[in-house]
Structures are given as C-alpha cells and as structure tokens.
Amino acid sequence: MAGLVKSFNIKARDFNHAGEASISVQSLLKSMNYNPKLIRRIAICGYEGEMNAVMHGGDGFLRIEIDSDKLVLEVSDSGQGIEDIELAMQAGYSTANDDYREMGFGAGMGLPNMKKNADQIIVESEKGQGTQVRMIFFIKEGDMPA
Ligand SMILES: Nc1ncnc2c1ncn2[C@@H]1O[C@H](COP(=O)(O)OP(=O)(O)O)[C@@H](O)[C@H]1O
Ligand SMILES: [Mg+2]
C-alpha cells in the first residue's frame, strides 16, 4: 500500500531557494516524529540531490513517499543528464565549474554520500534525458514515529 506522498519543486540555478525542498522534507519527517538519525540521513541525501539538480541538472522536484516499511526519496530533474553514471558516482569526480567551486561546491562527494546514507540508491539518467535518483530507507525498529 502506498502511503503519504509529498513533492516539492526544485528550480535550476536558483541559489536563493536552493535547499528549501530538502528542508521541507526534513520538517515533514520531524513533525511525524521519525528517528532523528534516520531524518539526518534523508536530509543529507535530499540536500545533495537537490543541489545537484540546481547546479548540474534542470528544474525538477524532490519527492518523499512514506510507507509503513520504508521511506522512498526521489529527486528528479529535466536537465542535461549524466553521460557516465558509474564515473559520476566515484568519490571526487566533479564537473563543477570555478564559480561553483568558489561557492564551496564541487567536492565530488554528493553522489557517494547519497549512496552511503541510503539503504538503496538507483540512478537513472541519460545524456539529454534528465536525471532521476531514487533512494530507499527501510524502516527498522526505533525508526518509527513514537
Ligand atoms: N542532476 C544531475 N544532472 C546532471 N549531472 C549531474 C547531476 N547530478 C550529478 N551530476 C554529475 O555528477 C557529478 C558528481 O556529482 P556529485 O558527486 O554530487 O559531486 P559535485 O556535485 O560536487 O560535482 C557532477 O559533477 C555532475 O557532473
Ligand atoms: Mg553534488
């Protein structure tokens, strides 16, 4: 049974609002009393995914699906896509330009961090086809709302 689903828009290159979608997901999960450690893992994944859409991708959305046995976080954008997903997943790999590096981005640790913090990650992308990242967090004992 599919549970509650909430979606928040992401606007490419809009650094004034970048990060707001992941904060909204974080606030929602907090209000539902999920385990803070689980929320933190999801917040990291949401933020990294959202910033990737803002910097490298295109307009899109961050979506959370709340089921009794798992939480599914999806970040989807309609940007230029990723040509070589395996390469993009490697620690330290980044195509961020100097402007982004000056802003403190471009360490190439976003996707590796998402992989580390999610129980499962599925990246789907093709050049010119946008990018979709789905991350699954299985609910374990102690994660459930009190
Ligand atoms: N949504 C996206 N759209 C297009 N390219 C992306 C997207 N997300 C990641 N990438 C590519 O994968 C690379 C690695 O991403 P990441 O690990 O988050 O590092 P960083 O964002 O610091 O460059 C990016 O530099 C970019 O080339
Ligand atoms: Mg990144």
Side-chain angles (χ1 to χ4, degrees), residues 59-137:
D59 292 350
F61 59 85
L62 182 68
R63 180 183 182 273
I64 182 91
E65 180 188 317
I66 299 172
D67 297 323
S68 55
D69 59 334
K70 65 182 183 304
L71 302 179
V72 182
L73 183 71
E74 180 187 325
V75 52
S76 192
D77 76 70
S78 59
Q80 60 181 2
I82 303 174
E83 211 172 333
D84 186 338
I85 294 173
E86 216 177 298
L87 182 63
M89 297 290 295
Q90 282 179 21
Y93 176 80
S94 177
T95 58
N97 64 28
D98 288 345
D99 287 348
Y100 291 153
R101 285 169 200 269
E102 254 168 53
M103 292 167 75
F105 299 109
M109 291 308 294
L111 285 167
N113 257 328
M114 290 156 81
K115 185 177 179 179
K116 193 178 91 184
N117 280 286
D119 290 316
Q120 261 179 37
I121 183 167
I122 303 137
V123 182
E124 283 182 311
S125 186
E126 252 175 81
K127 198 176 178 190
Q129 296 296 310
T131 300
Q132 187 198 50
V133 184
R134 286 180 82 232
M135 288 155 283
I136 302 174
F137 305 80

Side-chain angles (χ1 to χ4, degrees), residues 47-53 55-56 93-94 96 105-112 114:
Y47 178 75
E48 293 290 356
E50 180 176 2
M51 292 316 295
N52 279 352
M55 270 194 296
H56 312 294
Y93 176 80
S94 177
F105 299 109
M109 291 308 294
L111 285 167
M114 290 156 81

